Amino acid sequence: MKILVTGGTGFIGSHTVVALLEEGHEVVIADNLVNSQRNVVTKIKRITGVKPFFYKVDVADKKSMRKVFSEHKFDAVIHFAGLKAVGESVQKPLLYYRNNLDSTLTLLELMKEFDVKNILFSSSATVYGTPENVPLKEEDPIGGTTNPYGTTKLIIEQILMDFVHANEGFKAVSLRYFNPIGAHPSKLLGESPNDIPNNLMPYISRVANGKLSHLNVFGDDYETPDGTGIRDYVHVLDLANGHVLALKAFSFNHAYNVYNLGTGKGTSVLELVHLYEKANKLKIPYVIGPRREGDIAASYADITKAKNELGFVPHYSVKDACRHAYLFEKKQK
């Protein structure tokens, strides 16, 4: 298949591009590099031996994106492009609504114009809001999101459902990620935000490598065994593989499908810190602070549906991810 990957130089996007190329697919990347680097394209080639097409473009810019669509005949789109920091979304809600919704609407309009019928969307477990029960299943209620980032994912899922309902022959798949961590074992690709990290793992890695003084733990008074938030941390390589497997869902009867991608196991913030210390034989200084607005106590996945329908089985442990993330950050200047 020839696949357009928006946000393809980002953390999850770049690993998915590698997985797609290794499976023999042809890839075109569209990314504005707002939170990634252009040299990721070269690194992808070093890993796979194939250099994907690359366009530096804002996916919300219809004129520029129309040029991308006119120069290639796509079989499918994988849509990663979007702002993704929970805390920042609470502080800058309009930025998140404008960016994440506009880019999706532009993309769907162009898909209809150029008759590209398949889209795989990078959704999130945040669409479940504050869970009544864990592990979370796809049929559990969605809504009641606790931050604008999660709300954009919820709205986009609804847009996709409405779009495929109104346009016969079009199909959409939403992949609800839990918490991606880790890096490529080559040490060439990983989570490398341009500013101070918003996500836990790259922050820990920068503390481990002496680039930041300590980790801030947001709250130790949740109703969890050690008081810190519990999440489902899934290795980015397993997540990338999940996207390749999810392409087969376009051949299923339903026009819209949704899958959880995680490990099915919860790990607390402090458990993750201690696993990181064991994996890399070092200490992570941390300071307990107040809860962060928009966070919830616990969220982890039931991945039975993805396993049964897509053949999705995680192969890497949280400890593997800790080791890979440390080695990747150590190589960064």
Side-chain angles (χ1 to χ4, degrees), residues 155-229:
I155 293 170
I156 291 168
E157 284 202 18
Q158 186 64 54
I159 290 169
L160 291 173
M161 283 188 276
D162 293 341
F163 178 75
V164 298
H165 177 74
N167 294 276
E168 188 176 352
F170 283 78
K171 293 192 175 182
V173 177
S174 290
L175 298 179
R176 294 174 182 164
Y177 313 155
F178 281 68
N179 290 68
I181 57 172
H184 197 274
S186 66
K187 297 178 271 190
L188 291 170
L189 297 177
E191 190 168 10
S192 185
N194 291 337
D195 298 314
I196 293 175
N198 286 295
N199 291 339
L200 180 58
M201 182 63 89
Y203 204 109
I204 292 174
S205 292
R206 290 190 183 179
V207 172
N209 282 284
K211 299 171 184 178
L212 294 171
S213 62
H214 65 277
L215 171 68
N216 295 304
V217 176
F218 297 110
D220 65 348
D221 58 347
Y222 288 103
E223 292 185 13
T224 61
D226 64 15
T228 63

Side-chain angles (χ1 to χ4, degrees), residues 22-77:
E22 288 177 341
E23 284 294 313
H25 296 290
E26 191 174 354
V27 176
V28 176
I29 296 172
D31 200 307
N32 64 2
L33 304 179
V34 71
N35 198 31
S36 59
Q37 293 83 31
R38 191 176 191 128
N39 66 0
V40 166
V41 179
T42 304
K43 292 177 179 179
I44 289 170
K45 182 183 178 182
R46 286 179 62 186
I47 294 169
T48 65
V50 180
K51 186 175 184 179
F53 289 94
F54 174 76
Y55 292 85
K56 184 179 185 297
V57 60
D58 187 332
V59 179
D61 180 347
K62 184 177 278 189
K63 182 180 178 181
S64 298
M65 285 301 296
R66 183 176 281 115
K67 180 175 185 290
V68 177
F69 275 84
S70 66
E71 292 180 358
H72 302 272
K73 176 59 179 171
F74 297 116
D75 299 297
V77 173

Side-chain angles (χ1 to χ4, degrees), residues 266-302:
T267 303
S268 76
V269 172
L270 288 183
E271 285 175 328
L272 183 67
V273 169
H274 298 323
L275 279 169
Y276 195 102
E277 291 176 330
K278 289 179 182 177
N280 300 300
K281 298 180 173 58
L282 45 76
K283 295 297 290 182
I284 302 293
Y286 62 87
V287 174
I288 303 291
R291 295 185 184 189
R292 184 173 57 180
E293 191 176 359
D295 279 347
I296 59 176
S299 175
Y300 57 97
D302 183 321

Side-chain angles (χ1 to χ4, degrees), residues 36-174:
S36 59
Q37 293 83 31
R38 191 176 191 128
N39 66 0
V40 166
V41 179
T42 304
K43 292 177 179 179
I44 289 170
K45 182 183 178 182
R46 286 179 62 186
I47 294 169
T48 65
V50 180
K51 186 175 184 179
F53 289 94
F54 174 76
Y55 292 85
K56 184 179 185 297
V57 60
D58 187 332
V59 179
D61 180 347
K62 184 177 278 189
K63 182 180 178 181
S64 298
M65 285 301 296
R66 183 176 281 115
K67 180 175 185 290
V68 177
F69 275 84
S70 66
E71 292 180 358
H72 302 272
K73 176 59 179 171
F74 297 116
D75 299 297
V77 173
I78 301 181
H79 182 33
F80 293 104
L83 299 174
K84 62 175 186 175
V86 168
E88 183 184 56
S89 78
V90 175
Q91 301 301 319
K92 301 177 181 179
L94 295 185
L95 176 66
Y96 273 68
Y97 287 117
R98 173 68 72 188
N99 182 85
N100 292 5
L101 299 183
D102 275 5
S103 60
T104 304
L105 292 170
T106 298
L107 198 56
L108 292 173
E109 288 167 351
L110 289 169
M111 285 178 64
K112 187 173 181 181
E113 181 180 332
F114 287 89
D115 201 35
V116 181
K117 293 185 180 295
N118 302 307
I119 182 167
L120 194 61
F121 173 56
S122 164
S123 191
S124 165
T126 55
V127 301
Y128 292 110
T130 302
E132 293 181 8
N133 299 289
V134 287
L136 286 157
K137 299 179 180 180
E138 289 85 353
E139 61 267 26
D140 285 340
I142 59 174
T145 46
T146 60
N147 55 77
Y149 161 76
T151 306
T152 66
K153 297 294 188 182
L154 182 68
I155 293 170
I156 291 168
E157 284 202 18
Q158 186 64 54
I159 290 169
L160 291 173
M161 283 188 276
D162 293 341
F163 178 75
V164 298
H165 177 74
N167 294 276
E168 188 176 352
F170 283 78
K171 293 192 175 182
V173 177
S174 290

